[in-house]
Amino acid sequence: AQSVTQLGSHVSVSEGALVLLRCNYSSSVPPYLFWYVQYPNQGLQLLLKYTTGATLVKGINGFEAEFKKSETSFHLTKPSAHMSDAAEYFCAVSTGRRALTFGSGTRLQVQP
Amino acid sequence: KAGVTQTPRYLIKTRGQQVTLSCSPISGHRSVSWYQQTPGQGLQFLFEYFSETQRNKGNFPGRFSGRQFSNSRSEMNVSTLELGDSALYLCASSTGEAKNIQYFGAGTRLSVL
């Protein structure tokens, strides 16, 4: 079985500050890992994904995440927050069964 | 390239009724997955269809069913609606491998009164 834990249901940062959203996963097989973002009244948009290879993954809008197998983590970071980053972020894991298992989400608030 | 299209965007039904939601995947994608999103349970996988066959199923009662047509379009049906079925239903399409990206539609918001 696979599972995802996102620490912190709400994170608040100031505009220009570092964004760090935490994700830990549990999987009995090598996982595929994803970060999605959801804006109000919209579906999910992919930010980035890790399948194999380089453990530091760069995504859209300046986000990146590092796969750390020893820590079973896949934290999402962005050096400088922008007001438009305010949204809900979901970490997800997929294995051979293809269905995505999502974390409970982290709502990011960006203060001016 | 057009994205994933879900219709309708909003639905209001009463308890006991049934509802059908539609999803048109990205052209060339043969896999369609359905997810339910609620404030209490978060995002939960319902089922996946690939080339008209249900390939994977989540932990939902039999009232939730789906199908996929030869053009990969998919429908999801919920019979005997309950208040707890109120949710955002999201459809995702992909080429069908676990490592591949699932592209999501904007969802159908179902309210059961």
Side-chain angles (χ1 to χ4, degrees):
Chain A
Q2 58 200 36
S3 65
V4 177
T5 301
Q6 290 184 241
L7 288 175
S9 58
H10 289 83
V11 169
S12 182
V13 300
S14 299
E15 193 173 18
L18 171 73
V19 175
L20 170 60
L21 305 182
R22 300 179 186 274
C23 171
N24 288 88
Y25 70 90
S26 170
S27 175
S28 56
V29 298
Y32 303 120
L33 295 161
F34 305 82
W35 274 100
Y36 283 88
V37 61
Q38 186 176 35
Y39 297 98
N41 297 317
Q42 293 188 27
L44 302 175
Q45 180 185 5
L46 181 76
L47 285 174
L48 49 79
K49 70 170 185 175
Y50 169 79
T51 54
T52 57
T55 56
L56 182 62
V57 181
K58 295 188 184 298
I60 63 171
N61 301 337
F63 285 94
E64 63 181 38
E66 187 170 9
F67 171 61
K68 292 187 176 180
K69 184 178 178 180
S70 61
E71 299 177 10
T72 60
S73 69
F74 191 56
H75 302 330
L76 182 71
T77 60
K78 181 174 180 177
S80 177
H82 192 272
M83 296 295 290
S84 61
D85 295 327
E88 189 152 22
Y89 293 79
F90 293 92
C91 181
V93 63
S94 174
T95 61
R97 291 188 61 78
R98 296 172 293 277
L100 289 171
T101 298
F102 287 91
S104 54
T106 297
R107 187 169 300 277
L108 176 66
Q109 188 176 27
V110 183
Q111 308 281 5
Chain B
K1 206 174 194 179
V4 179
T5 304
Q6 291 189 246
T7 56
R9 286 295 312 278
Y10 302 92
L11 266 177
I12 300 176
K13 294 285 186 179
T14 56
R15 277 184 302 173
Q17 288 187 310
Q18 75 164 15
V19 67
T20 300
L21 313 182
S22 180
C23 173
S24 293
I26 291 171
S27 177
H29 285 187
R30 295 163 64 191
S31 170
V32 173
S33 297
W34 289 88
Y35 294 84
Q36 182 197 64
Q37 185 177 25
T38 60
Q41 300 298 317
L43 280 153
Q44 293 184 287
F45 171 73
L46 281 155
F47 32 65
E48 181 216 4
Y49 284 85
F50 182 84
S51 293
E52 303 180 64
T53 300
Q54 189 181 85
R55 191 165 68 166
N56 202 356
K57 189 176 187 305
N59 252 354
F60 278 82
R63 300 185 298 108
F64 292 83
S65 63
R67 60 177 174 169
Q68 187 179 33
F69 301 95
S70 58
N71 62 358
S72 293
R73 189 178 71 85
S74 177
E75 289 182 346
M76 190 191 96
N77 185 274
V78 188
S79 63
T80 320
L81 283 166
E82 301 177 0
L83 295 178
D85 297 333
S86 294
L88 180 67
Y89 289 89
L90 293 165
C91 162
S93 83
S94 79
T95 57
E97 294 181 44
K99 65 180 180 181
N100 289 349
I101 299 168
Q102 292 193 23
Y103 295 88
F104 284 80
T108 294
R109 181 153 314 268
L110 172 65
S111 297
V112 182
L113 307 178

PDB file of all heavy atoms in Angstrom, chain A residues 15-16 37-40 45 47 61 63 78 80-89 108-111:
ATOM      1  N   GLU A  15       5.434  37.678   0.683  1.00  0.00           N
ATOM      2  CA  GLU A  15       5.854  37.775  -0.710  1.00  0.00           C
ATOM      3  C   GLU A  15       7.370  37.941  -0.755  1.00  0.00           C
ATOM      4  O   GLU A  15       7.938  38.752  -0.009  1.00  0.00           O
ATOM      5  CB  GLU A  15       5.171  38.952  -1.388  1.00  0.00           C
ATOM      6  CG  GLU A  15       5.300  38.939  -2.903  1.00  0.00           C
ATOM      7  CD  GLU A  15       4.458  40.020  -3.561  1.00  0.00           C
ATOM      8  OE1 GLU A  15       4.056  40.975  -2.869  1.00  0.00           O
ATOM      9  OE2 GLU A  15       4.189  39.908  -4.771  1.00  0.00           O
ATOM     10  N   GLY A  16       8.047  37.146  -1.584  1.00  0.00           N
ATOM     11  CA  GLY A  16       9.498  37.195  -1.682  1.00  0.00           C
ATOM     12  C   GLY A  16      10.216  36.206  -0.786  1.00  0.00           C
ATOM     13  O   GLY A  16      11.417  35.980  -0.938  1.00  0.00           O
ATOM     14  N   VAL A  37      -1.004  21.592  -8.280  1.00  0.00           N
ATOM     15  CA  VAL A  37      -1.548  22.804  -7.667  1.00  0.00           C
ATOM     16  C   VAL A  37      -3.004  22.961  -8.096  1.00  0.00           C
ATOM     17  O   VAL A  37      -3.369  22.600  -9.233  1.00  0.00           O
ATOM     18  CB  VAL A  37      -0.730  24.061  -8.046  1.00  0.00           C
ATOM     19  CG1 VAL A  37      -0.741  24.301  -9.556  1.00  0.00           C
ATOM     20  CG2 VAL A  37      -1.254  25.298  -7.329  1.00  0.00           C
ATOM     21  N   GLN A  38      -3.828  23.432  -7.174  1.00  0.00           N
ATOM     22  CA  GLN A  38      -5.242  23.652  -7.472  1.00  0.00           C
ATOM     23  C   GLN A  38      -5.634  25.066  -7.083  1.00  0.00           C
ATOM     24  O   GLN A  38      -5.517  25.445  -5.914  1.00  0.00           O
ATOM     25  CB  GLN A  38      -6.120  22.642  -6.734  1.00  0.00           C
ATOM     26  CG  GLN A  38      -7.596  22.716  -7.119  1.00  0.00           C
ATOM     27  CD  GLN A  38      -8.425  21.637  -6.429  1.00  0.00           C
ATOM     28  OE1 GLN A  38      -8.173  21.269  -5.285  1.00  0.00           O
ATOM     29  NE2 GLN A  38      -9.428  21.112  -7.129  1.00  0.00           N
ATOM     30  N   TYR A  39      -6.105  25.824  -8.044  1.00  0.00           N
ATOM     31  CA  TYR A  39      -6.646  27.152  -7.795  1.00  0.00           C
ATOM     32  C   TYR A  39      -8.155  27.022  -7.582  1.00  0.00           C
ATOM     33  O   TYR A  39      -8.766  26.050  -8.031  1.00  0.00           O
ATOM     34  CB  TYR A  39      -6.317  28.095  -8.948  1.00  0.00           C
ATOM     35  CG  TYR A  39      -4.837  28.304  -9.127  1.00  0.00           C
ATOM     36  CD1 TYR A  39      -4.120  27.575 -10.087  1.00  0.00           C
ATOM     37  CD2 TYR A  39      -4.141  29.199  -8.321  1.00  0.00           C
ATOM     38  CE1 TYR A  39      -2.759  27.745 -10.235  1.00  0.00           C
ATOM     39  CE2 TYR A  39      -2.771  29.372  -8.469  1.00  0.00           C
ATOM     40  CZ  TYR A  39      -2.095  28.637  -9.423  1.00  0.00           C
ATOM     41  OH  TYR A  39      -0.739  28.798  -9.564  1.00  0.00           O
ATOM     42  N   PRO A  40      -8.760  27.988  -6.912  1.00  0.00           N
ATOM     43  CA  PRO A  40     -10.203  27.883  -6.606  1.00  0.00           C
ATOM     44  C   PRO A  40     -11.045  27.594  -7.839  1.00  0.00           C
ATOM     45  O   PRO A  40     -10.842  28.193  -8.899  1.00  0.00           O
ATOM     46  CB  PRO A  40     -10.518  29.262  -6.016  1.00  0.00           C
ATOM     47  CG  PRO A  40      -9.227  29.706  -5.418  1.00  0.00           C
ATOM     48  CD  PRO A  40      -8.156  29.191  -6.344  1.00  0.00           C
ATOM     49  N   GLN A  45      -3.386  21.102 -11.623  1.00  0.00           N
ATOM     50  CA  GLN A  45      -2.373  21.363 -12.641  1.00  0.00           C
ATOM     51  C   GLN A  45      -1.042  20.812 -12.157  1.00  0.00           C
ATOM     52  O   GLN A  45      -0.635  21.060 -11.021  1.00  0.00           O
ATOM     53  CB  GLN A  45      -2.262  22.867 -12.883  1.00  0.00           C
ATOM     54  CG  GLN A  45      -1.225  23.246 -13.928  1.00  0.00           C
ATOM     55  CD  GLN A  45      -1.058  24.752 -14.068  1.00  0.00           C
ATOM     56  OE1 GLN A  45      -1.648  25.538 -13.320  1.00  0.00           O
ATOM     57  NE2 GLN A  45      -0.271  25.168 -15.035  1.00  0.00           N
ATOM     58  N   LEU A  47       2.704  20.530 -11.361  1.00  0.00           N
ATOM     59  CA  LEU A  47       3.862  21.399 -11.175  1.00  0.00           C
ATOM     60  C   LEU A  47       5.139  20.702 -11.602  1.00  0.00           C
ATOM     61  O   LEU A  47       5.977  21.277 -12.289  1.00  0.00           O
ATOM     62  CB  LEU A  47       3.999  21.800  -9.701  1.00  0.00           C
ATOM     63  CG  LEU A  47       3.036  22.842  -9.161  1.00  0.00           C
ATOM     64  CD1 LEU A  47       3.247  22.975  -7.651  1.00  0.00           C
ATOM     65  CD2 LEU A  47       3.238  24.183  -9.838  1.00  0.00           C
ATOM     66  N   ASN A  61       6.754  27.564 -13.026  1.00  0.00           N
ATOM     67  CA  ASN A  61       6.600  28.701 -12.109  1.00  0.00           C
ATOM     68  C   ASN A  61       7.686  28.788 -11.041  1.00  0.00           C
ATOM     69  O   ASN A  61       7.452  29.335  -9.966  1.00  0.00           O
ATOM     70  CB  ASN A  61       5.222  28.663 -11.420  1.00  0.00           C
ATOM     71  CG  ASN A  61       4.077  28.696 -12.420  1.00  0.00           C
ATOM     72  OD1 ASN A  61       4.246  29.153 -13.550  1.00  0.00           O
ATOM     73  ND2 ASN A  61       2.925  28.211 -12.024  1.00  0.00           N
ATOM     74  N   PHE A  63       9.127  26.426  -9.250  1.00  0.00           N
ATOM     75  CA  PHE A  63       9.108  25.408  -8.212  1.00  0.00           C
ATOM     76  C   PHE A  63      10.092  24.288  -8.520  1.00  0.00           C
ATOM     77  O   PHE A  63      10.365  23.984  -9.679  1.00  0.00           O
ATOM     78  CB  PHE A  63       7.701  24.820  -8.064  1.00  0.00           C
ATOM     79  CG  PHE A  63       6.731  25.732  -7.360  1.00  0.00           C
ATOM     80  CD1 PHE A  63       5.906  26.578  -8.082  1.00  0.00           C
ATOM     81  CD2 PHE A  63       6.659  25.742  -5.976  1.00  0.00           C
ATOM     82  CE1 PHE A  63       5.024  27.430  -7.433  1.00  0.00           C
ATOM     83  CE2 PHE A  63       5.779  26.590  -5.320  1.00  0.00           C
ATOM     84  CZ  PHE A  63       4.967  27.428  -6.056  1.00  0.00           C
ATOM     85  N   LYS A  78      10.271  26.868  -3.430  1.00  0.00           N
ATOM     86  CA  LYS A  78      10.381  27.964  -4.379  1.00  0.00           C
ATOM     87  C   LYS A  78      11.139  29.076  -3.662  1.00  0.00           C
ATOM     88  O   LYS A  78      10.781  29.431  -2.535  1.00  0.00           O
ATOM     89  CB  LYS A  78       9.018  28.445  -4.842  1.00  0.00           C
ATOM     90  CG  LYS A  78       9.095  29.579  -5.869  1.00  0.00           C
ATOM     91  CD  LYS A  78       7.729  29.948  -6.413  1.00  0.00           C
ATOM     92  CE  LYS A  78       7.857  31.071  -7.439  1.00  0.00           C
ATOM     93  NZ  LYS A  78       6.557  31.428  -8.064  1.00  0.00           N
ATOM     94  N   SER A  80      11.385  32.310  -3.960  1.00  0.00           N
ATOM     95  CA  SER A  80      10.764  33.598  -3.704  1.00  0.00           C
ATOM     96  C   SER A  80       9.270  33.530  -4.040  1.00  0.00           C
ATOM     97  O   SER A  80       8.892  33.373  -5.207  1.00  0.00           O
ATOM     98  CB  SER A  80      11.445  34.674  -4.548  1.00  0.00           C
ATOM     99  OG  SER A  80      10.820  35.920  -4.369  1.00  0.00           O
ATOM    100  N   ALA A  81       8.432  33.641  -3.029  1.00  0.00           N
ATOM    101  CA  ALA A  81       6.983  33.517  -3.234  1.00  0.00           C
ATOM    102  C   ALA A  81       6.409  34.738  -3.940  1.00  0.00           C
ATOM    103  O   ALA A  81       6.829  35.880  -3.701  1.00  0.00           O
ATOM    104  CB  ALA A  81       6.286  33.327  -1.893  1.00  0.00           C
ATOM    105  N   HIS A  82       5.421  34.465  -4.760  1.00  0.00           N
ATOM    106  CA  HIS A  82       4.691  35.520  -5.452  1.00  0.00           C
ATOM    107  C   HIS A  82       3.231  35.415  -5.056  1.00  0.00           C
ATOM    108  O   HIS A  82       2.743  34.328  -4.730  1.00  0.00           O
ATOM    109  CB  HIS A  82       4.852  35.347  -6.971  1.00  0.00           C
ATOM    110  CG  HIS A  82       4.391  36.509  -7.775  1.00  0.00           C
ATOM    111  ND1 HIS A  82       3.092  36.640  -8.209  1.00  0.00           N
ATOM    112  CD2 HIS A  82       5.050  37.608  -8.213  1.00  0.00           C
ATOM    113  CE1 HIS A  82       2.959  37.761  -8.882  1.00  0.00           C
ATOM    114  NE2 HIS A  82       4.142  38.359  -8.891  1.00  0.00           N
ATOM    115  N   MET A  83       2.534  36.528  -5.105  1.00  0.00           N
ATOM    116  CA  MET A  83       1.116  36.528  -4.724  1.00  0.00           C
ATOM    117  C   MET A  83       0.328  35.486  -5.505  1.00  0.00           C
ATOM    118  O   MET A  83      -0.591  34.851  -4.974  1.00  0.00           O
ATOM    119  CB  MET A  83       0.495  37.904  -4.932  1.00  0.00           C
ATOM    120  CG  MET A  83       1.094  39.004  -4.062  1.00  0.00           C
ATOM    121  SD  MET A  83       0.789  38.713  -2.300  1.00  0.00           S
ATOM    122  CE  MET A  83      -0.974  39.008  -2.235  1.00  0.00           C
ATOM    123  N   SER A  84       0.692  35.285  -6.764  1.00  0.00           N
ATOM    124  CA  SER A  84      -0.036  34.350  -7.609  1.00  0.00           C
ATOM    125  C   SER A  84       0.184  32.886  -7.219  1.00  0.00           C
ATOM    126  O   SER A  84      -0.473  31.993  -7.762  1.00  0.00           O
ATOM    127  CB  SER A  84       0.357  34.547  -9.066  1.00  0.00           C
ATOM    128  OG  SER A  84       1.736  34.298  -9.238  1.00  0.00           O
ATOM    129  N   ASP A  85       1.108  32.641  -6.280  1.00  0.00           N
ATOM    130  CA  ASP A  85       1.349  31.264  -5.818  1.00  0.00           C
ATOM    131  C   ASP A  85       0.312  30.799  -4.809  1.00  0.00           C
ATOM    132  O   ASP A  85       0.285  29.615  -4.449  1.00  0.00           O
ATOM    133  CB  ASP A  85       2.740  31.145  -5.199  1.00  0.00           C
ATOM    134  CG  ASP A  85       3.848  31.365  -6.208  1.00  0.00           C
ATOM    135  OD1 ASP A  85       3.665  31.005  -7.392  1.00  0.00           O
ATOM    136  OD2 ASP A  85       4.906  31.922  -5.810  1.00  0.00           O
ATOM    137  N   ALA A  86      -0.509  31.708  -4.315  1.00  0.00           N
ATOM    138  CA  ALA A  86      -1.523  31.339  -3.339  1.00  0.00           C
ATOM    139  C   ALA A  86      -2.504  30.358  -3.956  1.00  0.00           C
ATOM    140  O   ALA A  86      -3.164  30.658  -4.963  1.00  0.00           O
ATOM    141  CB  ALA A  86      -2.263  32.581  -2.864  1.00  0.00           C
ATOM    142  N   ALA A  87      -2.570  29.174  -3.385  1.00  0.00           N
ATOM    143  CA  ALA A  87      -3.379  28.081  -3.931  1.00  0.00           C
ATOM    144  C   ALA A  87      -3.262  26.903  -2.986  1.00  0.00           C
ATOM    145  O   ALA A  87      -2.611  26.985  -1.935  1.00  0.00           O
ATOM    146  CB  ALA A  87      -2.880  27.681  -5.324  1.00  0.00           C
ATOM    147  N   GLU A  88      -3.868  25.775  -3.378  1.00  0.00           N
ATOM    148  CA  GLU A  88      -3.697  24.548  -2.604  1.00  0.00           C
ATOM    149  C   GLU A  88      -2.788  23.604  -3.378  1.00  0.00           C
ATOM    150  O   GLU A  88      -2.934  23.453  -4.596  1.00  0.00           O
ATOM    151  CB  GLU A  88      -5.040  23.879  -2.317  1.00  0.00           C
ATOM    152  CG  GLU A  88      -4.927  22.724  -1.328  1.00  0.00           C
ATOM    153  CD  GLU A  88      -6.185  22.478  -0.536  1.00  0.00           C
ATOM    154  OE1 GLU A  88      -7.261  22.890  -1.003  1.00  0.00           O
ATOM    155  OE2 GLU A  88      -6.085  21.857   0.548  1.00  0.00           O
ATOM    156  N   TYR A  89      -1.872  22.974  -2.664  1.00  0.00           N
ATOM    157  CA  TYR A  89      -0.866  22.129  -3.274  1.00  0.00           C
ATOM    158  C   TYR A  89      -1.021  20.695  -2.777  1.00  0.00           C
ATOM    159  O   TYR A  89      -1.174  20.455  -1.574  1.00  0.00           O
ATOM    160  CB  TYR A  89       0.544  22.658  -2.950  1.00  0.00           C
ATOM    161  CG  TYR A  89       0.818  23.983  -3.606  1.00  0.00           C
ATOM    162  CD1 TYR A  89       0.317  25.166  -3.070  1.00  0.00           C
ATOM    163  CD2 TYR A  89       1.561  24.059  -4.783  1.00  0.00           C
ATOM    164  CE1 TYR A  89       0.545  26.392  -3.691  1.00  0.00           C
ATOM    165  CE2 TYR A  89       1.797  25.280  -5.413  1.00  0.00           C
ATOM    166  CZ  TYR A  89       1.282  26.433  -4.862  1.00  0.00           C
ATOM    167  OH  TYR A  89       1.502  27.642  -5.477  1.00  0.00           O
ATOM    168  N   LEU A 108      -1.480  27.279   0.636  1.00  0.00           N
ATOM    169  CA  LEU A 108      -0.434  28.300   0.732  1.00  0.00           C
ATOM    170  C   LEU A 108      -1.045  29.683   0.654  1.00  0.00           C
ATOM    171  O   LEU A 108      -1.762  30.000  -0.292  1.00  0.00           O
ATOM    172  CB  LEU A 108       0.598  28.121  -0.386  1.00  0.00           C
ATOM    173  CG  LEU A 108       1.694  29.182  -0.459  1.00  0.00           C
ATOM    174  CD1 LEU A 108       2.584  29.116   0.777  1.00  0.00           C
ATOM    175  CD2 LEU A 108       2.530  29.021  -1.721  1.00  0.00           C
ATOM    176  N   GLN A 109      -0.751  30.485   1.658  1.00  0.00           N
ATOM    177  CA  GLN A 109      -1.182  31.881   1.681  1.00  0.00           C
ATOM    178  C   GLN A 109       0.056  32.757   1.537  1.00  0.00           C
ATOM    179  O   GLN A 109       1.079  32.508   2.191  1.00  0.00           O
ATOM    180  CB  GLN A 109      -1.897  32.174   2.998  1.00  0.00           C
ATOM    181  CG  GLN A 109      -2.569  33.515   3.085  1.00  0.00           C
ATOM    182  CD  GLN A 109      -3.335  33.685   4.399  1.00  0.00           C
ATOM    183  OE1 GLN A 109      -2.995  33.080   5.417  1.00  0.00           O
ATOM    184  NE2 GLN A 109      -4.366  34.500   4.373  1.00  0.00           N
ATOM    185  N   VAL A 110      -0.005  33.751   0.683  1.00  0.00           N
ATOM    186  CA  VAL A 110       1.118  34.656   0.476  1.00  0.00           C
ATOM    187  C   VAL A 110       0.696  36.047   0.916  1.00  0.00           C
ATOM    188  O   VAL A 110      -0.238  36.637   0.359  1.00  0.00           O
ATOM    189  CB  VAL A 110       1.560  34.669  -1.001  1.00  0.00           C
ATOM    190  CG1 VAL A 110       2.784  35.583  -1.167  1.00  0.00           C
ATOM    191  CG2 VAL A 110       1.889  33.259  -1.474  1.00  0.00           C
ATOM    192  N   GLN A 111       1.396  36.571   1.903  1.00  0.00           N
ATOM    193  CA  GLN A 111       1.088  37.893   2.464  1.00  0.00           C
ATOM    194  C   GLN A 111       1.872  38.980   1.740  1.00  0.00           C
ATOM    195  O   GLN A 111       3.050  38.781   1.454  1.00  0.00           O
ATOM    196  CB  GLN A 111       1.442  37.930   3.955  1.00  0.00           C
ATOM    197  CG  GLN A 111       0.847  36.813   4.786  1.00  0.00           C
ATOM    198  CD  GLN A 111      -0.601  37.071   5.129  1.00  0.00           C
ATOM    199  OE1 GLN A 111      -1.192  38.046   4.677  1.00  0.00           O
ATOM    200  NE2 GLN A 111      -1.181  36.202   5.932  1.00  0.00           N
TER     201      GLN A 111
END
